Amino acid sequence: MSNPSLLILAGDGIGPEVMDQVKRVVAWFGARRGLGFDVSEALVGGASYDVHGVPLTDAVLESAQQADAVLLGAVGGPAYDDLDFSVKPERGLLRLRKEMDLFSNLRPAVCFDALADYSSLKREVVAGLDILIVRELTSGVYFGEPRGIIDDNAGGRIGVNTQRYTSGEIRRVARSAFELARRRNNRVCSMDKANVMESGVLWREEVDAVHADEFPDVELSHMYADNGAMQLVRDPKQFDVIVTDNLFGDILSDCAAMLTGSLGMLPSASLGAPADNGRPKALYEPVHGSAPDIAGEGKANPSACLLSFAMALRYSFDRRGEADRLEQAIESVLAKGIRTPDLLQAEGETPVSTEGMGDAVLEALEASL
Ligand code: IPM
Ligand code: MG
């Protein structure tokens, strides 16, 4: 049997340097755990625009559709700020999500004990935190039509975006959240703005219907998304799984990221429906962006990207033990006080480089055998 295929799209900014560390870890699993992957690489985002004039070519999209899993670094940067929306680096990522129909975006926020003092919140609020945000990823205001900037014929302009959800889109992401909750602590909190938006009213009704019909054993609660943001920083441990729409999920997941100490720690998985081989279409990426301010300096934390590969082991390749192994390796490195600059705190602590972090993780992996 041939190896599963892994398409690497390193992208822009710190994407390539954090992905370099992932490539080393992927190779380690091949050499030391008999877990070989057929790895290929391609361009996305600004890196693709520079060569092809578009942030994602049809050929790369096709490879992504065929791959068993896609690993993405980051897209975007100030060099592309003035480009038309249609060719901005971010469009490459959005097109991948949309065309691969990756509707369920899993963003776990786990606070490693060694980092509980790094959060901007008090240790007791975040220590032991383990929550999962499930963000709808292929619809809502990110994709709704009409959209654009139009003339108001009176000397001004109007910016238009459309929040739009079908019941089917809500139901499938709700189902995904309930299924995940069953494997965790069996609780789902759904966040919407049903107090001001019709799309929120529908969201709530459909989540309730899926719950009543298929998941009555899971505990369900609802919250307005603004209150949800407040509750996330007040008492994040009250949550298990949070399910929410595309835009609220974008914002709430950045908020949740800081609970864990650094945006450099947060992985994500974007999953679609199962393909012919039973595997879901899948793209894994760190939640942090391209961080152009530190790109190329070896300061980026590769943990989020490494943890994204751990999610691939778990959700695409059903190798939970190996996923645990990688997560524990990262945790043990942090417990030893080895830190990239995003996590530096105490005076006198010397940071390691991106590559130094990779070295330490590989060492911890070796030690795990
Ligand atoms: C994210 C990012 C993206 C988003 C950008 C890069 C398009 O912020 O994945 O959270 O807004 O979805
Ligand atoms: Mg975001």
Side-chain angles (χ1 to χ4, degrees):
M1 258 184 49
S2 62
N3 290 330
S5 59
L6 207 54
L7 173 65
I8 292 189
L9 305 173
D12 306 325
I14 60 171
E17 53 200 286
V18 294
M19 199 59 87
D20 280 344
Q21 304 316 311
V22 176
K23 287 190 233 166
R24 297 172 72 196
V25 165
V26 170
W28 184 88
F29 277 95
R32 304 292 281 160
R33 303 299 302 156
L35 242 170
F37 291 99
D38 285 339
V39 179
S40 56
E41 293 192 56
L43 299 174
V44 73
S48 170
Y49 177 82
D50 291 341
V51 177
H52 301 293
V54 287
L56 181 73
T57 64
D58 293 343
V60 174
L61 174 61
E62 187 50 32
S63 323
Q65 298 276 24
Q66 299 303 327
D68 287 311
V70 179
L71 296 182
L72 189 136
V75 294
Y80 310 102
D81 277 354
D82 296 329
L83 289 183
D84 187 75
F85 252 120
S86 61
V87 288
K88 268 194 196 298
E90 289 79 0
R91 294 303 311 173
L93 175 58
L94 295 174
R95 184 166 176 226
L96 276 168
R97 290 174 178 173
K98 185 72 179 174
E99 304 246 353
M100 293 172 75
D101 203 18
L102 306 171
F103 60 87
S104 179
N105 179 219
L106 281 47
R107 298 191 161 189
V110 174
C111 184
F112 290 118
D113 207 47
L115 298 185
D117 291 317
Y118 289 73
S119 172
S120 45
L121 300 188
K122 294 192 194 81
R123 167 176 264 278
E124 59 269 26
V125 176
V126 296
L129 179 77
D130 180 355
I131 62 177
L132 175 64
I133 297 184
V134 179
R135 168 188 178 193
E136 198 292 324
L137 201 61
T138 50
S139 186
V141 75
Y142 270 59
F143 296 98
E145 301 279 347
R147 63 183 299 158
I149 298 177
I150 53 177
D151 227 319
D152 73 351
N153 295 322
R157 296 186 303 159
I158 309 174
V160 180
N161 290 92
T162 303
Q163 167 78 333
R164 180 178 188 280
Y165 270 105
T166 66
S167 46
E169 288 165 344
I170 299 166
R171 282 174 179 245
R172 64 182 186 171
V173 73
R175 216 166 265 132
S176 157
F178 286 125
E179 273 160 10
L180 289 158
R182 274 187 181 154
R183 289 194 250 150
R184 298 170 44 96
N185 292 314
N186 219 36
R187 289 185 290 120
V188 171
C189 180
S190 171
M191 296 190 184
D192 58 48
K193 282 290 286 179
N195 51 345
V196 288
M197 297 164 82
E198 283 78 4
S199 59
V201 172
L202 185 72
W203 182 277
R204 201 170 275 222
E205 288 176 2
E206 295 297 336
V207 171
D208 273 336
V210 172
H211 177 242
D213 293 348
E214 301 168 45
F215 300 92
D217 53 300
V218 179
E219 192 184 311
L220 171 66
S221 59
H222 299 278
M223 234 179 231
Y224 296 133
D226 53 345
N227 180 31
M230 194 262 278
Q231 295 297 335
L232 262 179
V233 289
R234 191 187 72 86
D235 176 22
K237 283 187 260 182
Q238 70 184 281
F239 298 112
D240 178 24
V241 174
I242 293 173
V243 64
T244 191
D245 79 8
N246 204 342
L247 181 61
F248 298 144
D250 179 44
I251 297 166
L252 293 170
S253 62
D254 263 29
C255 177
M258 268 326 284
L259 304 172
T260 70
S262 167
L263 201 48
M265 294 302 303
L266 232 73
S268 80
S270 305
L271 307 177
D276 294 343
N277 60 9
R279 281 191 189 117
K281 288 261 177 82
L283 180 145
Y284 299 87
E285 56 174 320
V287 170
H288 64 67
S290 57
D293 51 320
I294 57 162
E297 294 180 20
K299 288 182 180 167
N301 184 351
S303 299
C305 207
L306 290 165
L307 289 166
S308 299
F309 176 58
M311 290 187 86
L313 292 172
R314 191 180 305 279
Y315 292 104
S316 284
F317 305 115
D318 207 23
R319 300 299 292 259
R320 289 165 208 206
E322 302 301 336
D324 288 344
R325 180 191 301 281
L326 178 51
E327 287 165 2
Q328 281 158 15
I330 293 168
E331 182 159 18
S332 77
V333 166
L334 294 169
K336 276 188 236 155
I338 298 172
R339 314 229 185 290
T340 40
D342 54 308
L343 294 170
L344 262 202
Q345 182 193 48
E347 211 163 297
E349 271 185 344
T350 320
V352 294
S353 65
T354 308
E355 194 181 350
M357 191 72 186
D359 292 341
V361 171
L362 285 168
E363 226 168 86
L365 283 171
E366 267 311 306
S368 76
L369 295 178

